[in-house]
């Protein structure tokens, strides 16, 4: 029987949402979400809430709404404009604060910069930046002029940026000269150049952050500060349709190529605003800190659009959690009196390893709510977070969602639901899910696939230039009215949901999604490799990590040196997250008679689980050979 933790009495009494009937009201999704959408500022009201043409859904049809106006202009009133929107801290300790009015001015100016560079409504602008204030400023400026942004996580490689820009046919890039990581300046512009030099890119805007030497290409590259110095202070916002594309976010799927998840405007803002307020129990005086990177969906929804559309004050931190010491986060919480902390299980497990002594010297009493996102949180990490960070007094909202959902989908409402460590509890009001097996919905206690059975406003609208993949990947397995999440889950007797991680060929490494096919294609890209199979194995800190099996070209001898080169190659092609934990060389890999590599067998070999049936293999003898080699390694 799982432990049950009740919300503290005082918390419950003051909670923003205390009305349990919202769960019931949420069953009528159209009325429920239309009511929530009214919290936004619409330039023109919608004339239909929802259009269903499975698997295509549209929300708030013919409504007109500009995201930048909702995040900024509506707060430019005498009472609201002086509130701090962002407190940014650089890794080296510098601090910048932006009131809503200051942010508004910067966004207006940068909107004019973009227009002067030739960016038009509908053009996709790529952004490749660390967490510095210019990143949300650039995103909101894009939103203001109706140019969808495609933010690529700064830790990704030049190749990853190039692939994404190529797929999006993006002609504009906003980047930085360099940025800080563990006290060193990373040469970011060089990486950006490697990507854009081979593409037809017309303009690159560079923020000066690292101060490192860079090359500027005439008539293509411009300094942010030069352009801003000449920009006008007001830019009329474009008229945006509710269904217009707000952004693309590339994420890993089952093939080697990342897919561009499309998010539109009105429904997305409705979803992130409602969850921002209800899940985080947001109040006017909260100091909210989400430790993610803006380059992921978490950062888009809960560091930029959610917090600003809710008129809250957020912390942005540029650097590593352990620089200059593992006390950095706790110093930040103490210094700014952070009240809400939203982070990932991987980070919590890292802090567990470093030890509670790093927290004990700091006053964390300002905290009143904790959040978790990105991967399943094991009860042990949950309880450590509750005890050591929350001082046994802060509810934890374990929020399940994904790039495609845009907003939190399964999560407690912290003033209402009793918590069970390790369970994301129940679907948010207005969200309907089921656990499915081949013969239909499964009863409590049975493991199955997590599917979403009703449309929701912030759902993806498609995959950029890949309509077939959209249908097949999400709506193929259970039909066009049940969104297949790709996650396994189980429901307990109290109807609480327990997430079991990704099913199949997508890994979750430290909360980052990674397709095994992506890692395989990076490995076979290396000239001496003929074949590669990648599987996920459990990791104490990161949850899961890739493990690779590699076959080499005839005559090539395996060696530690080659292994090292392959690891570096994967890091270079995709980014350090994708680096395999280990590589096993094998002349042959277990295959079916039709020549398909049996990854299930390889996964079970790597994790030392039962291999199961191998009668369908064309080369069953290889299983024993690989097993012996793995045993020798261990
Ligand atoms: O497996 C689930 C896991 O992260 C996947 C989505 O990854 P991504 O699109 O990168 O978005 C991450 C941030 C929202 C999901 O398919 N996941 C996310 N949150 C949780 C989770 N698994 C368990 N519990 C969670 N709270």
């Amino acid at each position: 029987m799982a432990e049950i933790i009740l919300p503290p009495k005082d918390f419950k009494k003051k909670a923003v949402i205390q009305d349990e009937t919202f769960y019931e009201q949420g069953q009528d999704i159209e009325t429920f979400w239309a009511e929530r959408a009214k919290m936004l500022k619409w330039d023109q009201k919608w004339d239909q809430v929802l259009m269903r043409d499975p698997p295509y859904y549209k929300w708030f049809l013919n409504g007109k709404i500009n995201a930048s106006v909702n995040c900024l202009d509506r707060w430019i009133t005498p009472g609201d404009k002086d509130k701090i929107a962002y407190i940014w801290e650089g890794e080296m300790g510098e601090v910048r604060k932006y009131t809503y009015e200051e942010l508004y001015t910067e966004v207006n100016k940068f909107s004019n910069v973009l227009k002067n560079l030739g960016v038009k409504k509908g053009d996709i602008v790529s952004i490749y930046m660390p967490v510095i204030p210019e990143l949300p400023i650039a995103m909101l400026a894009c939103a203001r002029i109706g140019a969808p942004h495609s933010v690529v996580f700064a830790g990704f490689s030049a190749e990853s940026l190039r692939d994404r820009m190529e797929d999006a046919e993006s002609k504009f890039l906003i980047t930085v000269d360099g940025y800080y990581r563990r006290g060193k300046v990373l040469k970011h512009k060089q990486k950006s150049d490697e990507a854009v030099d081979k593409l037809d890119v017309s303009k690159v805007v560079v923020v000066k952050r690292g101060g490192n030497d860079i090359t500027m290409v005439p008539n293509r590259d411009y300094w942010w500060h030069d352009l801003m110095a000449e920009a006008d202070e007001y830019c009329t916002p474009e008229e945006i349709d509710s269904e217009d594309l707000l952004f693309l976010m590339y994420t890993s799927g089952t093939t080697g190529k990342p897919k561009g998840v499309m998010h539109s405007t009105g429904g997305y803002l409705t979803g992130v605003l409602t969850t921002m307020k209800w899940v985080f129990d947001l109040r006017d005086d909260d100091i909210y800190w989400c430790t993610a990177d803006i380059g992921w969906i978490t950062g888009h929804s809960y560091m930029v659009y959610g917090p600003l559309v809710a008129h809250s004050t957020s912390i942005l931190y540029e650097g590593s959690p352990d620089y200059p010491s593992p006390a950095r986060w706790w110093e930040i919480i103490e210094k700014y009196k952070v009240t809400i902390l939203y982070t990932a299980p991987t980070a919590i497990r890292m802090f567990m390893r470093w030890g509670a002594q790093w927290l004990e010297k700091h006053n964390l009493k300002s905290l009143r709510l904790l959040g978790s996102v990105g991967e399943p949180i094991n009860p042990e990490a949950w309880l450590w977070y509750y005890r050591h960070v929350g001082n046994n007094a802060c509810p934890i909202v374990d929020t399940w969602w994904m790039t495609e959902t845009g907003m939190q989908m399964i999560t407690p409402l912290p003033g209402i639901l009793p918590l069970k460590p390790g369970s994301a509890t129940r679907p948010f009001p207005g969200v309907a899910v089921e656990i499915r097996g081949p013969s239909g919905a499964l009863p409590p206690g049975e493991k199955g696939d997590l599917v979403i059975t009703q449309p929701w406003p912030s759902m993806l609208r498609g995959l950029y230039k890949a309509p077939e993949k959209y249908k097949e990947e999400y709506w193929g397995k259970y039909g066009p009215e049940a969104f297949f999440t790709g996650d396994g889950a189980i429901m307990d007797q109290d109807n609480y949901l327990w997430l079991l991680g990704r099913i199949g060929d997508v890994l979750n490494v430290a909360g980052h999604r990674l397709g095994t096919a992506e890692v395989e294609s990076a490995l076979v890209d290396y000239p001496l490799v003929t074949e590669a199979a990648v599987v996920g194995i459990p990791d104490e800190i990161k949850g899961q990590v890739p493990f690779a099996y590699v076959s080499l070209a005839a005559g090539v001898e395996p060696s530690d040196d080659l292994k090292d080169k392959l690891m570096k190659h994967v890091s270079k092609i995709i980014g350090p997250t994708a680096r395999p934990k280990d590589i096993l060389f094998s002349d042959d890999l277990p295959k079916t008679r039709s020549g398909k590599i049996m990854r299930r067998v390889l996964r079970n070999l790597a994790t030392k689980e039962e291999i199961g049936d191998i009668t369908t293999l064309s080369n069953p003898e290889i299983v024993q050979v690989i097993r012996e080699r793995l045993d020798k390694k261990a």
Side-chain angles (χ1 to χ4, degrees), residues 369-583:
L369 182 80
L370 305 175
S372 172
V373 61
E375 46 184 321
I377 180 163
N378 47 314
E380 196 193 353
W382 197 106
L383 287 167
W384 192 93
Y385 193 27
Y386 187 72
R387 211 167 281 147
H388 294 283
V389 182
N391 193 28
N392 297 317
C394 307
I396 296 181
V397 285
D398 172 10
T399 59
W400 178 91
W401 57 295
M402 54 199 295
T403 304
E404 291 83 346
T405 69
M407 67 176 218
Q408 298 156 337
M409 300 290 280
I410 302 177
T411 168
L413 287 179
I416 296 181
L417 285 190
L419 305 172
K420 297 188 191 184
S423 165
T425 72
R426 299 220 177 127
F428 189 79
V431 172
V433 308
E434 260 176 34
I435 310 293
R436 290 253 176 112
S439 54
L442 297 175
E446 281 188 39
K447 279 184 201 171
D449 292 347
L450 177 69
V451 300
I452 306 171
T453 53
Q454 287 287 351
W456 65 103
S458 63
M459 65 197 295
L460 80 166
R461 298 302 196 264
L463 293 178
Y464 195 61
K465 295 197 307 196
E468 286 309 313
K469 208 161 154 195
Y470 167 74
K471 284 198 238 167
E472 183 190 302
E473 196 136 321
Y474 306 110
W475 312 96
K477 196 164 176 182
Y478 294 104
E481 294 190 62
F483 176 90
F484 174 50
T485 61
D487 274 30
I490 189 167
M491 196 184 271
D492 70 14
Q493 297 299 335
D494 302 323
N495 291 343
Y496 272 43
L497 290 152
W498 298 75
L499 280 306
L500 304 170
R502 303 283 314 178
I503 305 158
D505 300 331
V506 178
L507 308 185
N508 189 328
V509 181
H512 301 162
R513 245 161 95 175
L514 180 68
T516 51
E518 280 175 82
V519 187
E520 288 166 4
S521 77
L523 284 164
V524 294
D525 178 69
Y526 198 82
L528 306 176
V529 173
T530 54
E531 210 163 35
V534 171
V535 298
I537 57 169
D539 181 86
E540 212 180 301
I541 302 284
K542 296 182 182 170
Q544 252 187 332
V545 284
F547 180 94
Y549 295 88
V550 165
S551 303
L552 297 169
V556 180
E557 280 302 311
S559 68
D560 284 347
D561 180 49
L562 182 55
K563 192 195 275 187
D564 195 48
K565 285 192 177 126
L566 285 177
M567 301 247 196
K568 287 201 176 115
H569 188 69
V570 175
S571 273
K572 181 169 175 288
I573 300 261
I574 310 175
T577 321
R579 192 186 159 94
K581 174 139 186 183
D582 204 353
I583 294 175

Side-chain angles (χ1 to χ4, degrees), residues 98 102-114 116 134 137-138 141 205-207 222-233:
Y98 289 82
E102 286 162 344
L103 197 64
Y104 166 81
T105 305
E106 293 299 294
V107 168
N108 271 277
K109 283 167 72 178
F110 197 65
S111 304
N112 285 323
V113 165
L114 290 174
N116 293 341
E134 288 82 353
I137 290 168
V205 181
V206 186
V207 176
Y222 302 85
W223 284 110
W224 171 289
H225 55 265
D226 287 344
L227 299 174
M228 288 291 267
E230 299 188 346
D232 287 345
E233 292 215 343

Side-chain angles (χ1 to χ4, degrees), residues 249-485:
M249 175 95 237
Y250 281 86
T251 189
S252 298
T254 50
T255 60
K257 206 166 136 312
K259 49 196 186 181
V261 170
M262 292 159 52
H263 277 292
S264 65
T265 309
Y268 174 77
L269 292 177
T270 305
V272 297
L273 173 58
T274 313
T275 47
M276 183 77 210
K277 288 192 161 183
W278 292 22
V279 174
F280 294 126
D281 188 54
L282 197 68
R283 306 214 200 108
D284 195 38
D285 57 355
D286 271 316
I287 307 287
Y288 161 86
W289 184 20
C290 169
T291 68
D293 192 291
I294 294 177
W296 307 113
I297 192 69
T298 305
H300 281 48
S301 300
Y302 299 106
M303 292 168 85
V304 181
Y305 292 107
L308 297 176
V309 85
H311 194 231
S312 62
T313 299
S314 319
I315 305 284
L316 298 177
Y317 170 55
E318 177 192 35
S320 293
D322 57 345
Y323 189 83
S325 83
R328 186 64 185 264
W329 279 19
W330 320 117
E331 285 163 13
I332 293 177
I333 291 172
E334 181 170 15
K335 181 167 164 194
Y336 300 109
K337 301 196 168 46
V338 172
T339 56
I340 302 170
L341 176 69
Y342 192 32
T343 192
T346 292
I348 298 161
R349 290 191 293 262
M350 221 159 54
F351 285 113
M352 282 170 78
R353 177 180 279 188
W354 290 331
Q357 73 275 14
W358 293 105
L359 290 76
E360 280 155 9
K361 294 182 210 99
H362 294 279
N363 181 350
L364 308 181
K365 292 243 161 68
S366 55
L367 288 171
R368 61 178 198 88
L369 182 80
L370 305 175
S372 172
V373 61
E375 46 184 321
I377 180 163
N378 47 314
E380 196 193 353
W382 197 106
L383 287 167
W384 192 93
Y385 193 27
Y386 187 72
R387 211 167 281 147
H388 294 283
V389 182
N391 193 28
N392 297 317
C394 307
I396 296 181
V397 285
D398 172 10
T399 59
W400 178 91
W401 57 295
M402 54 199 295
T403 304
E404 291 83 346
T405 69
M407 67 176 218
Q408 298 156 337
M409 300 290 280
I410 302 177
T411 168
L413 287 179
I416 296 181
L417 285 190
L419 305 172
K420 297 188 191 184
S423 165
T425 72
R426 299 220 177 127
F428 189 79
V431 172
V433 308
E434 260 176 34
I435 310 293
R436 290 253 176 112
S439 54
L442 297 175
E446 281 188 39
K447 279 184 201 171
D449 292 347
L450 177 69
V451 300
I452 306 171
T453 53
Q454 287 287 351
W456 65 103
S458 63
M459 65 197 295
L460 80 166
R461 298 302 196 264
L463 293 178
Y464 195 61
K465 295 197 307 196
E468 286 309 313
K469 208 161 154 195
Y470 167 74
K471 284 198 238 167
E472 183 190 302
E473 196 136 321
Y474 306 110
W475 312 96
K477 196 164 176 182
Y478 294 104
E481 294 190 62
F483 176 90
F484 174 50
T485 61

Side-chain angles (χ1 to χ4, degrees), residues 124 126 162 165-166 168-173 193 195-204 220:
I124 294 175
S126 299
R162 190 191 308 138
M165 287 188 75
E166 206 166 16
E169 296 170 66
S170 173
K171 304 268 180 274
F172 302 93
L173 176 69
D193 286 344
V196 296
D197 285 351
K198 295 189 188 125
L199 294 174
D200 174 24
V201 166
S202 65
K203 303 289 174 202
V204 176
R220 188 196 72 181

Side-chain angles (χ1 to χ4, degrees), residues 22-34 52 59 430:
F22 278 127
Y23 283 105
E24 234 168 84
Q25 290 177 36
Q27 285 169 18
D28 173 0
I29 57 167
E30 293 193 28
T31 311
F32 177 81
W33 286 114
R52 297 172 188 253
W59 285 85

